[in-house]
């Protein structure tokens, strides 16, 4: 057994101590606090040191990795016993990370393919997350809610896997705490989770995630981001919301791949063969995430959730409008700067073509049409509102590209601002007109 696999197994055993929380009650933090103290001050060599030591630990002669892991688990346990975090979610967050890392290491024994490594993390982390919640429920004599446990375990594992792709192994304490806090939010928003909804969400998002990676439309981190977003949209919004989301990701990805060699020759091609990374996914979809979370929260607040449907559709319309305008409009000659209409070289930030403007409006109209067909509260006038909001969001993207885009205000920030404009315009117009 490789040292990294033995180490991951040791951390998994430490994480399993979270299952004792219902029995220990307010002392649930104690095992982790003891481990942290021993790791920080008591073990500097010998078999235990060799089991848990990471390369940096060996250089420093101290088990800093195990110390941080145990302290993060102790901190989460205090949130559970003193601040109201459900004990089942404390156990899930710890188990998801500990066993997700083990799953990734198990896969690494036979292949270094990053997709299969992420799949190993998600699979074993999900199994451990479900088992952790079920064990806590059994020990505390509370109902075992299988669909809800599966949803929370998958969501938590995707969050942890995404952070692990973006961060380093030494950042596991941050990953654990972030996973626990986000699971707390997801649990509060998910008023009801049905078996059919969860099964459909998992089947569709996992399948599309694999296809997007296999076709080179997304990196591993981008794939994880997209699958997590899709899962949240299906569970908190519904299939109609997911269809709106996929209209952007599907058509947008195809447009990015369209005549990629020609775009590369013209100097306007996306990096990484057009594969979307986390920054690109979140830049275009962060507003959509906020909208679906706000929609889920609206069920418990005196707010009409319909407005968030329009905001969600408007943000996606802006994202697709901007993508088609750039990816298809960039194939045509004679672009002009949107602020002065001066001729500029292809690929210049803020440069537009009339063909790109047409493609951009068509993209926004496609999202408006999908929203009309599948979102129950969107009317024909509402679909037009979404299309116009999306087109104005695309225009905002071009203006920002011509005026402020640069090292301090990058492309992801411009995309976020454009989708925010699309969301706000669509929501405000719908509220005023409908």
């Amino acid at each position: 057994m490789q040292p990294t696999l033995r180490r991951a197994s040791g951390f998994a055993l430490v994480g399993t101590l979270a299952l004792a929380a219902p029995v220990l009650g307010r002392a649930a933090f104690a095992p982790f606090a003891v481990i942290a103290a021993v790791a920080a001050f008591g073990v500097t060599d010998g078999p235990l040191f060799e089991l848990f030591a990471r390369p940096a630990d060996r250089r420093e002669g101290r088990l800093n990795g195990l110390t941080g892991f145990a302290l993060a688990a102790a901190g989460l346990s205090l949130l559970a016993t003193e601040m109201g975090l459900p004990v089942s979610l404390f156990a899930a967050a710890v188990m998801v990370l500990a066993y997700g890392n083990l799953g990734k290491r198990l896969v690494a024994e036979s292949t270094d393919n990053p997709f299969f490594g992420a799949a190993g993390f998600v699979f074993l982390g999900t199994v451990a997350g479900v088992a952790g919640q079920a064990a806590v429920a059994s020990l505390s004599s509370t109902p075992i809610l299988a669909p809800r446990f599966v949803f929370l375990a998958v969501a938590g594992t995707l969050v942890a896997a995404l952070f692990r792709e973006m961060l380093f192994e030494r950042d596991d304490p941050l990953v654990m705490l972030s996973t626990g806090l986000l699971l707390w939010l997801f649990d509060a928003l998910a008023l009801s989770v049905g078996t059919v909804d969860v099964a459909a969400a998992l089947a569709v998002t996992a399948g599309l995630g694999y296809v997007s990676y296999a076709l080179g439309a997304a990196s591993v981190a981008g794939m994880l981001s997209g699958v997590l977003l899709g899962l949240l949209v299906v569970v908190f919004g519904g299939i109609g919301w997911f269809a709106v989301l996929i209209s952007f990701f599907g058509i947008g990805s195809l447009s990015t791949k369209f005549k990629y060699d020609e775009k590369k020759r013209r100097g306007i091609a996306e990096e990484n063969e057009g594969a979307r990374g986390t920054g690109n996914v979140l830049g275009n979809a962060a507003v959509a995430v906020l909208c679906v979370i706000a929609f889920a929260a609206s069920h418990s607040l005196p707010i009409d959730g319909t407005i968030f449907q329009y905001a969600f559709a408007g943000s996606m319309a802006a994202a697709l409008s901007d993508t088609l305008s750039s990816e298809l409009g960039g194939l045509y000659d004679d672009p002009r700067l949107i602020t002065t209409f001066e001729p500029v070289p292809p690929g210049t930030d803020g440069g537009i073509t009339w063909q790109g403007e047409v493609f951009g409006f068509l993209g926004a109209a496609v999202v408006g049409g999908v929203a009309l067909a599948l979102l129950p509260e969107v009317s024909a006038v509402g679909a037009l509102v979404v299309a116009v909001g999306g087109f104005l969001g695309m225009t905002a993207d071009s203006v920002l590209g011509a005026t402020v885009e640069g090292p301090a205000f990058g492309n992801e920030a411009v995309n976020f601002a454009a989708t925010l404009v699309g969301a706000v315009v669509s929501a405000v117009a719908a509220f005023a007109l409908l």
Side-chain angles (χ1 to χ4, degrees):
M1 184 184 295
Q2 295 295 322
T4 53
L5 181 56
R6 287 199 302 269
R7 183 169 67 241
S9 300
F11 273 87
L13 288 175
V14 171
T16 306
L17 291 173
L19 300 183
V23 176
L24 295 175
R26 299 184 71 174
F29 74 95
F32 296 106
V34 170
I35 290 173
V38 171
F41 306 110
V43 179
T44 58
D45 57 22
L48 278 178
F49 184 86
E50 291 303 317
L51 174 62
F52 288 103
R54 295 168 177 168
D57 296 339
R58 290 190 170 88
R59 292 193 297 269
E60 298 174 11
R62 183 174 295 174
L63 294 175
N64 292 327
L66 180 58
T67 302
F69 182 93
L71 285 176
L76 272 183
S77 70
L78 289 174
L79 286 178
T81 56
E82 307 298 333
M83 302 290 290
L85 171 69
V87 175
S88 60
L89 298 186
F90 154 65
V94 177
M95 297 279 284
V96 154
L97 178 62
Y99 281 88
N101 283 334
L102 177 59
K104 187 173 184 178
R105 292 300 180 188
L106 284 169
V107 171
E109 293 289 293
S110 57
T111 178
D112 59 358
N113 184 296
F115 173 82
F116 290 114
F121 187 108
V122 172
F123 174 76
L124 196 54
T126 297
V127 171
V130 173
Q133 293 175 87
V136 168
S138 297
L139 290 172
S140 56
S141 300
T142 57
I144 295 178
L145 307 174
R148 190 180 196 85
F149 289 175
V150 171
F151 163 64
L152 292 170
V154 173
T157 306
L158 289 171
V159 167
L162 177 57
F163 282 143
R164 287 294 284 110
E165 286 293 321
M166 298 167 60
L167 302 173
F168 299 99
E169 192 175 30
R170 65 174 180 267
D171 297 314
D172 272 355
L174 175 61
V175 175
M176 186 191 298
L177 291 170
S178 300
T179 301
L181 293 174
L182 286 173
L183 278 177
W184 198 357
L185 173 64
F186 298 157
D187 181 60
L189 293 175
L191 298 181
S192 62
V193 180
T195 302
V196 174
D197 290 340
V198 171
L202 294 179
V204 173
T205 56
L208 289 174
Y210 174 75
V211 169
S212 67
Y213 177 79
L215 295 179
S219 65
V220 170
M223 180 267 295
L224 290 170
S225 303
V227 171
L228 174 61
L229 176 59
L231 177 67
L232 297 179
V233 167
V234 172
V235 173
F236 293 153
I239 296 298
W241 290 60
F242 183 71
V244 172
L245 179 72
I246 289 304
S247 68
F248 160 64
F249 279 110
I251 299 174
S253 295
L254 291 174
S255 70
T256 301
K257 291 292 186 180
F258 181 70
K259 292 189 175 181
Y260 186 82
D261 290 338
E262 172 67 13
K263 295 172 189 174
K264 199 169 183 178
R265 185 184 66 79
R266 295 169 70 92
I268 62 171
E270 292 285 341
E271 298 178 354
N272 302 319
E273 298 298 316
R276 295 179 181 273
T278 298
N280 185 282
V281 172
L282 295 182
N284 283 294
V287 172
V289 173
L290 296 176
C291 290
V292 75
I293 288 175
F295 176 77
S298 70
H299 296 305
S300 303
L301 299 171
I303 300 174
D304 185 355
T306 302
I307 194 169
F308 297 116
Q309 285 193 12
Y310 280 100
F312 175 84
S315 72
M316 288 290 90
L320 183 57
S321 179
D322 175 58
T323 299
L324 295 189
S325 176
S326 301
E327 297 294 341
L328 302 183
L331 292 169
Y332 294 88
D333 295 324
D334 303 322
R336 294 178 178 272
L337 197 66
I338 191 170
T339 51
T340 63
F341 294 102
E342 296 176 358
V344 291
T348 300
D349 292 331
I352 62 171
T353 62
W354 71 264
Q355 295 94 338
E357 297 295 290
V358 172
F359 283 123
F361 184 77
L362 289 176
V366 166
V367 175
V370 174
L372 172 63
L374 297 174
L375 292 182
E377 304 299 330
V378 175
S379 64
V381 174
L384 179 60
V385 163
V386 168
V388 172
F391 182 79
L392 292 178
M394 176 203 71
T395 303
D397 185 284
S398 299
V399 172
L400 290 172
T403 55
V404 300
E405 185 171 351
F409 198 80
N411 181 253
E412 287 79 10
V414 170
N415 288 340
F416 177 85
T419 55
L420 182 60
V421 169
V424 171
V425 169
S426 299
V428 171
F431 182 77
L433 297 175
L434 302 175

